[in-house]
């Protein structure tokens, strides 16, 4: 901008000189007067005083004097050295070149939308592929793209790394085996008389159907085994083809219970120690039963508890 302004000013100045009639003698006299004035200013200011030029002044001097040879510049009486004037001109040209060559949009160009869609499709159809594998497949198709760009596209889409996408979580396992899974657990509550009672319930993972097997104040081994036998008969009558029963390591479950289930083709699966999330579906129902029933109802006795649980 400064260079353009300087050139416009110089052009207007030369045009004004062509319109103003002056003889060579008048021009020489004007030059001598200007030199003498500069000498007076230098004498008054002193040799150590440095003259400050505004950016527009530098642009004007650089535009006027840059066309003259260096030998001519050295003979002129200037407030700055000829090399300084030439440096000003070089700086102006650099700024002009930088302004012209400046890209319209800073940074790297965006990736084509069709390539983004193709990358996301490859990853969704092949969960085990990482960004390196996707980059190799794109290279085979003749698409030139950096591996880091593939990684950024996957990150922006919220896709996990390949080893996390390919791994099977416990929730995925339970969901895939829902038709063959059962879960059971005890619910503990206290009646108004202060007596502790237990409710044994089982839930089908596929249908979320809850079967209350019974309530008791003394969950002995015989009582639990009889409740499990009743469960097996109910499953046979309903045509349920359960193959696994998921339960925790509670001591109220006797070892003979597993043998009873094995005879009917149901294998017992124990959850990990202090890992309630492995039996999350049953634990979630137990929590709902506590919050929505037992915490809102005053249980008088075992009969009342059995009535509330069966409803």
């Amino acid at each position: 901008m400064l260079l353009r302004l300087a050139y416009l000013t110089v052009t207007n100045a030369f045009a004004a000189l062509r319109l103003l009639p002056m003889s060579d003698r008048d021009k020489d006299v004007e030059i001598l007067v200007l030199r003498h004035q500069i000498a007076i200013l230098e004498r008054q200011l002193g040799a150590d005083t440095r003259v400050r030029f505004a950016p527009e002044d530098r642009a004007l001097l650089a535009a006027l004097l840059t066309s003259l040879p260096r030998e001519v510049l050295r003979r002129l009486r200037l407030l700055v050295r000829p090399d300084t004037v030439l440096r000003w001109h070089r700086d102006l040209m650099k700024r002009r070149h930088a302004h012209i060559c400046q890209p319209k949009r800073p940074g790297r160009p965006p990736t084509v939308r069709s390539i983004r869609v193709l990358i996301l499709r490859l990853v969704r159809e092949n969960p085990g592929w990482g960004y390196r594998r996707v980059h190799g497949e794109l290279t085979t198709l003749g698409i030139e793209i950096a591996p880091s760009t593939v990684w950024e596209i996957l990150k922006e889409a919220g896709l996990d790394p390949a080893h996390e996408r390919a791994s099977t979580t416990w929730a995925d396992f339970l969901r895939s085996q829902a038709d063959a899974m059962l879960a059971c657990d005890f619910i503990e509550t206290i009646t108004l008389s202060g007596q502790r009672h237990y409710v044994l319930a089982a839930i089908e993972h596929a249908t979320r159907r809850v079967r209350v097997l019974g309530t008791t104040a003394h969950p002995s081994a015989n009582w639990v085994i009889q409740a499990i036998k009743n469960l097996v008969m109910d499953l046979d009558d309903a045509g349920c083809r359960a193959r696994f029963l998921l339960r925790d390591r509670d001591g109220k479950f006797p070892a003979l219970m597993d043998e009873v289930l094995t005879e009917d083709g149901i294998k017992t699966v124990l959850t990990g120690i202090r890992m309630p999330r492995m039996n999350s579906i049953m634990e979630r129902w137990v929590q709902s039963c506590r919050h929505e029933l037992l915490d809102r109802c005053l249980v008088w006795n075992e009969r009342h508890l059995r009535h509330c649980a069966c409803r």
Side-chain angles (χ1 to χ4, degrees):
M1 185 66 184
L2 292 175
L3 184 60
R4 184 183 302 176
L5 178 62
Y7 278 121
L8 291 176
T9 306
V10 172
T11 303
N12 295 334
F14 280 122
L17 290 176
R18 285 196 297 268
L19 295 176
L20 182 63
M22 293 182 64
S23 62
D24 294 339
R25 181 176 179 279
D26 295 337
K27 293 180 181 179
D28 295 338
V29 171
E30 184 180 2
I31 293 173
L32 290 176
V33 171
L34 293 176
R35 287 181 178 180
H36 186 66
Q37 291 179 359
I38 293 175
I40 294 173
L41 292 176
E42 289 179 347
R43 184 171 63 251
Q44 292 180 356
L45 296 175
D48 298 334
T49 303
R50 184 177 179 182
V51 181
R52 302 290 182 178
F53 291 92
E56 54 272 15
D57 299 331
R58 296 179 181 180
L60 180 59
L61 292 176
L64 286 172
L65 302 175
T66 188
S67 60
L68 300 177
R70 188 182 295 269
E71 292 76 9
V72 177
L73 286 176
R74 290 175 179 174
R75 292 197 302 266
L76 297 179
R77 189 177 186 88
L78 301 174
L79 296 177
V80 296
R81 294 182 300 176
D83 294 339
T84 304
V85 177
L86 297 178
R87 178 171 59 82
W88 289 348
H89 185 267
R90 289 195 301 268
D91 293 341
L92 290 175
M93 296 303 296
K94 289 180 181 179
R95 292 182 183 179
R96 180 173 180 272
H97 180 72
H99 179 72
I100 295 176
C101 298
Q102 185 177 4
K104 297 181 180 179
R105 178 180 296 178
R108 298 172 59 183
T111 308
V112 182
R113 183 178 180 277
S114 59
I115 298 179
R116 288 177 174 269
V117 174
L118 178 60
I119 291 174
L120 297 178
R121 178 182 176 185
L122 289 175
V123 173
R124 291 193 176 97
E125 294 180 356
N126 305 276
W129 286 10
Y131 73 96
R132 291 283 185 182
R133 176 66 184 275
V134 175
H135 171 258
E137 296 296 332
L138 294 177
T139 304
T140 305
L141 296 175
I143 300 176
E144 297 182 0
I145 188 173
S148 59
T149 305
V150 179
W151 180 83
E152 291 178 358
I153 293 175
L154 297 180
K155 184 179 179 181
E156 292 176 358
L159 297 176
D160 297 327
H163 66 278
E164 297 182 7
R165 283 185 275 111
S167 61
T168 302
T169 61
W170 182 253
D172 295 335
F173 172 76
L174 294 180
R175 193 177 298 111
S176 62
Q177 304 293 331
D179 294 335
M181 292 290 294
L182 286 173
C184 67
D185 199 0
F186 279 97
I187 306 176
E188 181 181 343
T189 184
I190 299 177
T191 61
L192 290 178
S193 61
Q195 189 176 13
R196 193 180 304 272
H197 285 267
Y198 300 90
V199 179
L200 179 59
I203 186 172
E204 300 177 14
H205 280 199
T207 61
R208 297 297 194 273
R209 180 179 178 182
V210 179
R211 300 176 184 269
V212 178
L213 305 181
T215 62
T216 181
H218 306 285
S220 61
N222 295 331
W223 183 87
V224 174
I225 292 174
Q226 184 61 44
I228 293 300
K229 289 181 179 179
N230 296 337
L231 173 63
V232 171
M233 289 188 295
D234 291 343
L235 294 177
D236 292 338
D237 294 340
C240 180
R241 299 180 179 180
R243 291 294 175 263
F244 300 96
L245 177 66
L246 188 63
R247 67 174 179 86
D248 55 17
R249 300 172 184 267
D250 196 339
K252 292 187 287 293
F253 292 110
L256 186 59
M257 166 186 164
D258 299 338
E259 298 178 5
V260 174
L261 292 172
T262 303
E263 292 177 358
D264 198 63
I266 301 177
K267 182 179 179 181
T268 302
V269 180
L270 301 180
T271 60
I273 299 175
R274 295 183 178 180
M275 296 180 64
R277 293 189 64 181
M278 291 186 65
N279 198 6
S280 58
I281 296 177
M282 189 67 203
E283 294 290 344
R284 184 64 180 86
W285 180 83
V286 170
Q287 182 182 11
S288 300
C289 184
R290 289 184 182 278
H291 291 176
E292 299 178 10
L293 176 62
L294 299 179
D295 293 347
R296 299 170 181 267
C297 180
L298 297 177
V299 181
W300 292 88
N301 48 34
E302 182 178 352
R303 181 181 178 183
H304 186 205
L305 176 62
R306 188 180 300 110
H307 175 75
C308 294
C310 293
R311 288 177 64 89

